[in-house]
Amino acid sequence: MLAFAVVILQFCLTQDAAALPLTPFRYEAQAQRHCPDDTVVWLNFRNGRYYLKWQKRYAMGLDGNFVCRNEARDSGYRRSLLGRR
């Protein structure tokens, strides 16, 4: 049983944990240059939501940055439903 636990532990330690890249930008134009084929969103790091340009909280607050929407999605952030009702 101990040998089995050692094998499992070695397997877990040899696996690479790849972090998903998320590149935050201070300015919207910087983010658009970084991802010209994607939509730029405002990511609020405090609540873990991103906002589209037409939403009221876009570019509001001090806890956020501009990012590419696909990067935000791939990193586990969710779209805000405010303004969708």
Side-chain angles (χ1 to χ4, degrees), residues 28-47:
E28 184 178 6
Q30 294 172 321
Q32 193 62 61
R33 280 192 301 271
H34 176 72
C35 51
D37 298 329
D38 196 5
T39 303
V40 173
V41 297
W42 177 257
L43 177 59
N44 185 319
F45 292 106
R46 182 172 287 195
N47 66 12

Side-chain angles (χ1 to χ4, degrees), residues 6-85:
V6 171
V7 170
I8 295 296
L9 182 61
Q10 287 176 342
F11 176 76
C12 292
L13 294 176
T14 60
Q15 298 300 311
D16 292 332
L20 297 172
L22 180 66
T23 311
F25 295 95
R26 177 80 174 123
Y27 301 105
E28 184 178 6
Q30 294 172 321
Q32 193 62 61
R33 280 192 301 271
H34 176 72
C35 51
D37 298 329
D38 196 5
T39 303
V40 173
V41 297
W42 177 257
L43 177 59
N44 185 319
F45 292 106
R46 182 172 287 195
N47 66 12
R49 304 275 182 171
Y50 64 84
Y51 301 91
L52 299 169
K53 191 169 192 166
W54 54 268
Q55 291 179 301
K56 186 176 181 178
R57 293 188 182 178
Y58 183 81
M60 300 289 281
L62 301 174
D63 297 325
N65 283 100
F66 295 101
V67 298
C68 303
R69 180 170 55 178
N70 288 335
E71 288 182 8
R73 284 180 180 168
D74 293 344
S75 296
Y77 293 99
R78 296 175 296 176
R79 177 177 54 93
S80 172
L81 297 177
L82 292 176
R84 297 291 262 171
R85 298 173 183 158

